[in-house]
Every structure is written in structure tokens, then in C-alpha cells.
Amino acid sequence: MRRTTAMRTTLSAALLLGTWAAVGSQAASATDTPAHSTEAPASAQLLSAMQHDLGLTKSQAAARLAAEKTATAVEHKAKRAAGSSYGGSWFDAADGKLTVAVTRGADTDAVRATGASVRLVEHSARQLDAAKARIDALSAPSGISNWYVDVKTNKVVVNVVTAHQADNDVRAFLAKARKAGPVTVKQTAEAPKTFAAGTVGGDPYYTGNVRCSIGFSVIGGFVSAGHCDVHAGAVYGWDHSYVGNFQGSSFPDNDYSWVNVGSGWWTVPVVLGWGTVSDQLVRGSAEAPVGASICRSGSTSHWHCGTVLAKNETVNYSEGAVHQMTKTSVCAEPGDSGGSFISGDQAQGVTSGGWGNCSSGGETWYQPVNEILNRYGLTLQTA
């Protein structure tokens, strides 16, 4: 790839084409962060995006980001303090604090000492995860959308597509699921689907007849969604020049992949803001709690924000179930698959699928990035 002085407005260009000096200086100027600072302030564009998508004022958006950063740090301490009584945790936007669920017998004073609020529940996270694992072992019909541990209700929620709620195979699945533990059944209007798309011009990367979006740069390549690997061989960039090949992928069961980068392409720790926000530097991959704000970048619908709704969710696509997913209120559309989910400057995951679109709204799931890094022994590239 020839060196270019213009930054192309696609995610693959932002991650792979511009020189590090050019990308780094643009991102640094956007955040006005001095070299010795350990924490970059939120850009005006990021605050504006949160105002638009989450219905916040500028000061509310800034305060929420600060509170979420604190909650992320508190979550690890609170979980250790709760021990075997830990029942899950979530960020409460109303009071700006982390809420930790605990069962009877917990040292609630120790949990509160970490800065978290405490809620007493009947079932521990270990018990709920075990119930979900028993449901994971079942074969789900297409009328079952997804299931997950809902830490707020302290139950396992199974979502059924409304049009299929009376199907015999759906009823049989639900009867077995209810025997697994504390289960509640809800309805959803649509079944989830992946967000890959046919080839169109001017977008991040192609393989076979599929267009997808780059997730995050790693040393030697980038990570994306597993369903984007259609086993067609080479991966091509926005200009249709050769980038590399899929070095590993998994779908269904998981939905992740990684692609090596060569032939003059190189990697930088940047997520494209598509002009909605400044291109975002990636500084780590600390996992945001349920309830935290989160934003997504993709090649079709560009930049959108929402909140984390649930973790460790099983999503039942037509191709098969995918496990350990995180659900968000962020919208997405075909071609966004594999794209970046980021909270502040912390990488969260790669876009998998969902339902709805960015006109009417919807929900989107992502595969957590730390799982991908651990699976393939990759190192996230950070600023």
C-alpha cells in the first residue's frame, strides 16, 4: 500500500492506512491531552453523540462518563468483597453508582466500603450462570431469540419471538428451560440476525461477496466477527488491495476472528468516529459494567451510542447459538458486523448481530474483545 497524505474516511483507513504520526497527532489534538496526562478528557464530539443518542445534556454526559469510569474500577473490588455471595452488578445511571447484588450472609459492609450500593437477592451469580449453562446445553428452535442472566431481576430471561410463541417446539424448549432454575419468559418482535452485507464500493474490508467492519487493531493484524469469515481466502481493504488472511475464526458458538496485516498495511490504535466524533484512541480493554454507556463504529451506519443491557447472553441465530455475548441498546445495520464497541477509550467488543436498524432502533450484541485476545494470544494495540 502506497503511503498517502489524506486520511480516508473509513474505519479500515483510520486503523490501517494513515501514518502513526498523522493519526496520533489528529487524535491528540482532538482531545487536547498533554503528553504527561494519564487520562484523556472526553471530546466535545463524543459528548455531543451521547447527548443525541442518550438524551443527556453536555454536563450530564461528562458526569456520566466520569461515574462509569469509577464504577468500572469499583466493580472488581466489590466482586471480591462479596465473594461467593456475589449476585451480579450494574451501573445505575440515576444515582451514578454501581449496584452490587448479594445473597444472604454476605459482608455487606465490606461491599459498601468499595463505594458500591448493595441489593439483597435470592440467587448468586454462580447459581444463575449454572442455570443458564443448563439451558445452553439444550437445542433451541428458531422461535427462541436469546437467553441471558438478568442481574437486576436475579433470573435467567428467555426471549421468545412473538410470532412463534405458540409453536410446539418453542413450548417444549421453554418447559425444559424452566426446569433449569429461576427462569422468566419474555417476548421480542424480531429474531436476531448477523450484520454482514453484500459487497458495495468504498467500505472497510471485503472477503468473498461479504463486506464487514474492522473491530480493533492488535499487534500484527485486527479482530472482527467470526461470521465474516466465509472461507474465501484473502481479505481486501477499502481500495480492494490485499490486506491479509483470516488467521482464526469461530462461528457459531462464538463470533470472533482475527486477520493478519501485511503487504504495506499497518495497524494503529484508533476507532473511526465518522465525523460524528473525533477518531477515538484506544487505551485499553477494561470491561464496562451493565448500565454503562457504550458506542459503536461501523462501516454502514457509522457512529451510534447506547447502554450495556446484559452480559454472558446466548443469542440464537439461524446459523446456531452464540454464547457469552453482551447485549446493548445501540442500533446497527448490515455491513456493521465486526465493528468496534468502545466505552470511553476502552475497547469492549466486536459487533455480531441484533435486530432493528438505525432508523427505527433496535438492539445489538457484541463478542467481548478480551475473550478474542485470550483465545488467540493477541495483544491489543493501545495508545
Side-chain angles (χ1 to χ4, degrees), residues 196-203 205-212 230 236-238 240 335:
T199 299
V200 296
D203 284 299
Y205 82 89
Y206 311 88
T207 178
N209 64 344
V210 168
R211 169 172 60 87
C212 280
V230 293
Y236 299 90
W238 60 268
H240 298 283

PDB file of all heavy atoms in Angstrom, residues 196-203 205-212 230 236-238 240 335:
ATOM      1  N   ALA A 196     -23.660  -8.872   8.464  1.00  0.00           N
ATOM      2  CA  ALA A 196     -22.812  -8.863   7.282  1.00  0.00           C
ATOM      3  C   ALA A 196     -23.637  -8.346   6.098  1.00  0.00           C
ATOM      4  O   ALA A 196     -24.862  -8.294   6.152  1.00  0.00           O
ATOM      5  CB  ALA A 196     -22.284 -10.263   6.993  1.00  0.00           C
ATOM      6  N   ALA A 197     -22.964  -7.962   5.021  1.00  0.00           N
ATOM      7  CA  ALA A 197     -23.669  -7.431   3.858  1.00  0.00           C
ATOM      8  C   ALA A 197     -22.940  -7.802   2.584  1.00  0.00           C
ATOM      9  O   ALA A 197     -21.763  -8.154   2.609  1.00  0.00           O
ATOM     10  CB  ALA A 197     -23.786  -5.911   3.948  1.00  0.00           C
ATOM     11  N   GLY A 198     -23.653  -7.749   1.446  1.00  0.00           N
ATOM     12  CA  GLY A 198     -23.019  -7.963   0.160  1.00  0.00           C
ATOM     13  C   GLY A 198     -22.046  -6.822  -0.151  1.00  0.00           C
ATOM     14  O   GLY A 198     -22.114  -5.754   0.433  1.00  0.00           O
ATOM     15  N   THR A 199     -21.147  -7.080  -1.102  1.00  0.00           N
ATOM     16  CA  THR A 199     -20.108  -6.105  -1.437  1.00  0.00           C
ATOM     17  C   THR A 199     -20.686  -4.829  -2.033  1.00  0.00           C
ATOM     18  O   THR A 199     -21.504  -4.861  -2.940  1.00  0.00           O
ATOM     19  CB  THR A 199     -19.134  -6.727  -2.450  1.00  0.00           C
ATOM     20  OG1 THR A 199     -18.533  -7.862  -1.870  1.00  0.00           O
ATOM     21  CG2 THR A 199     -18.055  -5.746  -2.844  1.00  0.00           C
ATOM     22  N   VAL A 200     -20.243  -3.694  -1.487  1.00  0.00           N
ATOM     23  CA  VAL A 200     -20.541  -2.390  -2.071  1.00  0.00           C
ATOM     24  C   VAL A 200     -19.244  -1.592  -2.088  1.00  0.00           C
ATOM     25  O   VAL A 200     -18.314  -1.889  -1.335  1.00  0.00           O
ATOM     26  CB  VAL A 200     -21.628  -1.625  -1.278  1.00  0.00           C
ATOM     27  CG1 VAL A 200     -22.950  -2.343  -1.317  1.00  0.00           C
ATOM     28  CG2 VAL A 200     -21.191  -1.408   0.173  1.00  0.00           C
ATOM     29  N   GLY A 201     -19.168  -0.584  -2.915  1.00  0.00           N
ATOM     30  CA  GLY A 201     -17.909   0.139  -3.071  1.00  0.00           C
ATOM     31  C   GLY A 201     -17.586   1.058  -1.901  1.00  0.00           C
ATOM     32  O   GLY A 201     -18.466   1.570  -1.228  1.00  0.00           O
ATOM     33  N   GLY A 202     -16.284   1.245  -1.646  1.00  0.00           N
ATOM     34  CA  GLY A 202     -15.825   2.259  -0.710  1.00  0.00           C
ATOM     35  C   GLY A 202     -15.949   1.951   0.753  1.00  0.00           C
ATOM     36  O   GLY A 202     -16.029   2.877   1.557  1.00  0.00           O
ATOM     37  N   ASP A 203     -15.949   0.694   1.148  1.00  0.00           N
ATOM     38  CA  ASP A 203     -16.106   0.344   2.551  1.00  0.00           C
ATOM     39  C   ASP A 203     -14.947  -0.498   3.061  1.00  0.00           C
ATOM     40  O   ASP A 203     -14.143  -0.997   2.272  1.00  0.00           O
ATOM     41  CB  ASP A 203     -17.426  -0.376   2.773  1.00  0.00           C
ATOM     42  CG  ASP A 203     -18.600   0.579   2.765  1.00  0.00           C
ATOM     43  OD1 ASP A 203     -18.626   1.468   3.626  1.00  0.00           O
ATOM     44  OD2 ASP A 203     -19.472   0.440   1.906  1.00  0.00           O
ATOM     45  N   TYR A 205     -13.623  -3.576   4.618  1.00  0.00           N
ATOM     46  CA  TYR A 205     -12.925  -4.753   4.109  1.00  0.00           C
ATOM     47  C   TYR A 205     -13.900  -5.765   3.533  1.00  0.00           C
ATOM     48  O   TYR A 205     -15.068  -5.795   3.899  1.00  0.00           O
ATOM     49  CB  TYR A 205     -12.009  -5.372   5.165  1.00  0.00           C
ATOM     50  CG  TYR A 205     -12.646  -6.293   6.175  1.00  0.00           C
ATOM     51  CD1 TYR A 205     -12.764  -7.670   5.942  1.00  0.00           C
ATOM     52  CD2 TYR A 205     -13.081  -5.819   7.413  1.00  0.00           C
ATOM     53  CE1 TYR A 205     -13.298  -8.520   6.885  1.00  0.00           C
ATOM     54  CE2 TYR A 205     -13.602  -6.662   8.371  1.00  0.00           C
ATOM     55  CZ  TYR A 205     -13.723  -8.016   8.101  1.00  0.00           C
ATOM     56  OH  TYR A 205     -14.257  -8.862   9.040  1.00  0.00           O
ATOM     57  N   TYR A 206     -13.370  -6.536   2.621  1.00  0.00           N
ATOM     58  CA  TYR A 206     -14.173  -7.493   1.865  1.00  0.00           C
ATOM     59  C   TYR A 206     -13.519  -8.863   1.891  1.00  0.00           C
ATOM     60  O   TYR A 206     -12.302  -8.989   1.881  1.00  0.00           O
ATOM     61  CB  TYR A 206     -14.285  -7.075   0.395  1.00  0.00           C
ATOM     62  CG  TYR A 206     -14.670  -5.644   0.148  1.00  0.00           C
ATOM     63  CD1 TYR A 206     -13.705  -4.643   0.078  1.00  0.00           C
ATOM     64  CD2 TYR A 206     -16.006  -5.298  -0.043  1.00  0.00           C
ATOM     65  CE1 TYR A 206     -14.059  -3.331  -0.161  1.00  0.00           C
ATOM     66  CE2 TYR A 206     -16.362  -3.987  -0.296  1.00  0.00           C
ATOM     67  CZ  TYR A 206     -15.388  -3.010  -0.350  1.00  0.00           C
ATOM     68  OH  TYR A 206     -15.734  -1.707  -0.597  1.00  0.00           O
ATOM     69  N   THR A 207     -14.365  -9.884   1.889  1.00  0.00           N
ATOM     70  CA  THR A 207     -13.886 -11.240   1.688  1.00  0.00           C
ATOM     71  C   THR A 207     -14.996 -12.003   0.982  1.00  0.00           C
ATOM     72  O   THR A 207     -16.143 -11.993   1.430  1.00  0.00           O
ATOM     73  CB  THR A 207     -13.497 -11.919   3.018  1.00  0.00           C
ATOM     74  OG1 THR A 207     -13.084 -13.260   2.753  1.00  0.00           O
ATOM     75  CG2 THR A 207     -14.625 -11.913   4.021  1.00  0.00           C
ATOM     76  N   GLY A 208     -14.675 -12.625  -0.138  1.00  0.00           N
ATOM     77  CA  GLY A 208     -15.722 -13.233  -0.948  1.00  0.00           C
ATOM     78  C   GLY A 208     -16.702 -12.153  -1.376  1.00  0.00           C
ATOM     79  O   GLY A 208     -16.317 -11.097  -1.869  1.00  0.00           O
ATOM     80  N   ASN A 209     -18.006 -12.390  -1.154  1.00  0.00           N
ATOM     81  CA  ASN A 209     -19.017 -11.387  -1.506  1.00  0.00           C
ATOM     82  C   ASN A 209     -19.560 -10.697  -0.262  1.00  0.00           C
ATOM     83  O   ASN A 209     -20.670 -10.186  -0.258  1.00  0.00           O
ATOM     84  CB  ASN A 209     -20.166 -12.032  -2.284  1.00  0.00           C
ATOM     85  CG  ASN A 209     -20.935 -13.045  -1.458  1.00  0.00           C
ATOM     86  OD1 ASN A 209     -20.453 -13.483  -0.412  1.00  0.00           O
ATOM     87  ND2 ASN A 209     -22.115 -13.436  -1.919  1.00  0.00           N
ATOM     88  N   VAL A 210     -18.763 -10.691   0.826  1.00  0.00           N
ATOM     89  CA  VAL A 210     -19.204 -10.123   2.093  1.00  0.00           C
ATOM     90  C   VAL A 210     -18.402  -8.872   2.428  1.00  0.00           C
ATOM     91  O   VAL A 210     -17.189  -8.830   2.228  1.00  0.00           O
ATOM     92  CB  VAL A 210     -19.045 -11.164   3.229  1.00  0.00           C
ATOM     93  CG1 VAL A 210     -19.205 -10.516   4.595  1.00  0.00           C
ATOM     94  CG2 VAL A 210     -20.078 -12.285   3.055  1.00  0.00           C
ATOM     95  N   ARG A 211     -19.100  -7.857   2.910  1.00  0.00           N
ATOM     96  CA  ARG A 211     -18.452  -6.672   3.470  1.00  0.00           C
ATOM     97  C   ARG A 211     -18.682  -6.648   4.968  1.00  0.00           C
ATOM     98  O   ARG A 211     -19.797  -6.839   5.444  1.00  0.00           O
ATOM     99  CB  ARG A 211     -19.042  -5.383   2.875  1.00  0.00           C
ATOM    100  CG  ARG A 211     -18.593  -4.128   3.613  1.00  0.00           C
ATOM    101  CD  ARG A 211     -19.019  -2.850   2.894  1.00  0.00           C
ATOM    102  NE  ARG A 211     -20.458  -2.733   2.735  1.00  0.00           N
ATOM    103  CZ  ARG A 211     -21.276  -2.207   3.650  1.00  0.00           C
ATOM    104  NH1 ARG A 211     -20.794  -1.812   4.806  1.00  0.00           N
ATOM    105  NH2 ARG A 211     -22.564  -2.118   3.408  1.00  0.00           N
ATOM    106  N   CYS A 212     -17.630  -6.411   5.722  1.00  0.00           N
ATOM    107  CA  CYS A 212     -17.720  -6.287   7.170  1.00  0.00           C
ATOM    108  C   CYS A 212     -16.888  -5.106   7.639  1.00  0.00           C
ATOM    109  O   CYS A 212     -16.309  -4.393   6.820  1.00  0.00           O
ATOM    110  CB  CYS A 212     -17.254  -7.565   7.863  1.00  0.00           C
ATOM    111  SG  CYS A 212     -18.513  -8.891   7.908  1.00  0.00           S
ATOM    112  N   VAL A 230     -15.957 -16.180   5.422  1.00  0.00           N
ATOM    113  CA  VAL A 230     -16.726 -17.087   4.567  1.00  0.00           C
ATOM    114  C   VAL A 230     -15.796 -18.060   3.847  1.00  0.00           C
ATOM    115  O   VAL A 230     -16.182 -18.688   2.865  1.00  0.00           O
ATOM    116  CB  VAL A 230     -17.582 -16.300   3.550  1.00  0.00           C
ATOM    117  CG1 VAL A 230     -18.669 -15.519   4.265  1.00  0.00           C
ATOM    118  CG2 VAL A 230     -16.713 -15.358   2.716  1.00  0.00           C
ATOM    119  N   TYR A 236      -9.524  -8.119   1.588  1.00  0.00           N
ATOM    120  CA  TYR A 236      -9.149  -6.925   0.839  1.00  0.00           C
ATOM    121  C   TYR A 236      -9.661  -5.681   1.547  1.00  0.00           C
ATOM    122  O   TYR A 236     -10.719  -5.694   2.176  1.00  0.00           O
ATOM    123  CB  TYR A 236      -9.705  -6.992  -0.586  1.00  0.00           C
ATOM    124  CG  TYR A 236      -9.172  -8.165  -1.363  1.00  0.00           C
ATOM    125  CD1 TYR A 236      -9.833  -9.388  -1.350  1.00  0.00           C
ATOM    126  CD2 TYR A 236      -7.981  -8.065  -2.085  1.00  0.00           C
ATOM    127  CE1 TYR A 236      -9.327 -10.479  -2.040  1.00  0.00           C
ATOM    128  CE2 TYR A 236      -7.474  -9.149  -2.782  1.00  0.00           C
ATOM    129  CZ  TYR A 236      -8.153 -10.361  -2.754  1.00  0.00           C
ATOM    130  OH  TYR A 236      -7.650 -11.435  -3.429  1.00  0.00           O
ATOM    131  N   GLY A 237      -8.912  -4.590   1.416  1.00  0.00           N
ATOM    132  CA  GLY A 237      -9.252  -3.346   2.081  1.00  0.00           C
ATOM    133  C   GLY A 237     -10.214  -2.500   1.293  1.00  0.00           C
ATOM    134  O   GLY A 237     -10.760  -2.919   0.266  1.00  0.00           O
ATOM    135  N   TRP A 238     -10.409  -1.255   1.772  1.00  0.00           N
ATOM    136  CA  TRP A 238     -11.381  -0.367   1.142  1.00  0.00           C
ATOM    137  C   TRP A 238     -11.054  -0.090  -0.319  1.00  0.00           C
ATOM    138  O   TRP A 238     -11.952   0.164  -1.123  1.00  0.00           O
ATOM    139  CB  TRP A 238     -11.454   0.956   1.911  1.00  0.00           C
ATOM    140  CG  TRP A 238     -10.147   1.705   1.954  1.00  0.00           C
ATOM    141  CD1 TRP A 238      -9.188   1.615   2.918  1.00  0.00           C
ATOM    142  CD2 TRP A 238      -9.670   2.641   0.994  1.00  0.00           C
ATOM    143  NE1 TRP A 238      -8.136   2.432   2.621  1.00  0.00           N
ATOM    144  CE2 TRP A 238      -8.402   3.091   1.437  1.00  0.00           C
ATOM    145  CE3 TRP A 238     -10.176   3.158  -0.203  1.00  0.00           C
ATOM    146  CZ2 TRP A 238      -7.638   4.022   0.736  1.00  0.00           C
ATOM    147  CZ3 TRP A 238      -9.423   4.085  -0.896  1.00  0.00           C
ATOM    148  CH2 TRP A 238      -8.167   4.507  -0.435  1.00  0.00           C
ATOM    149  N   HIS A 240      -9.646  -2.290  -2.267  1.00  0.00           N
ATOM    150  CA  HIS A 240      -9.591  -3.614  -2.888  1.00  0.00           C
ATOM    151  C   HIS A 240      -8.168  -4.150  -3.024  1.00  0.00           C
ATOM    152  O   HIS A 240      -7.949  -5.115  -3.761  1.00  0.00           O
ATOM    153  CB  HIS A 240     -10.308  -3.627  -4.247  1.00  0.00           C
ATOM    154  CG  HIS A 240     -11.773  -3.305  -4.147  1.00  0.00           C
ATOM    155  ND1 HIS A 240     -12.704  -4.211  -3.701  1.00  0.00           N
ATOM    156  CD2 HIS A 240     -12.449  -2.152  -4.396  1.00  0.00           C
ATOM    157  CE1 HIS A 240     -13.901  -3.648  -3.696  1.00  0.00           C
ATOM    158  NE2 HIS A 240     -13.774  -2.397  -4.105  1.00  0.00           N
ATOM    159  N   GLY A 335     -23.476  -4.850   7.268  1.00  0.00           N
ATOM    160  CA  GLY A 335     -22.186  -4.272   6.935  1.00  0.00           C
ATOM    161  C   GLY A 335     -21.440  -3.775   8.157  1.00  0.00           C
ATOM    162  O   GLY A 335     -20.229  -3.569   8.128  1.00  0.00           O
TER     163      GLY A 335
END
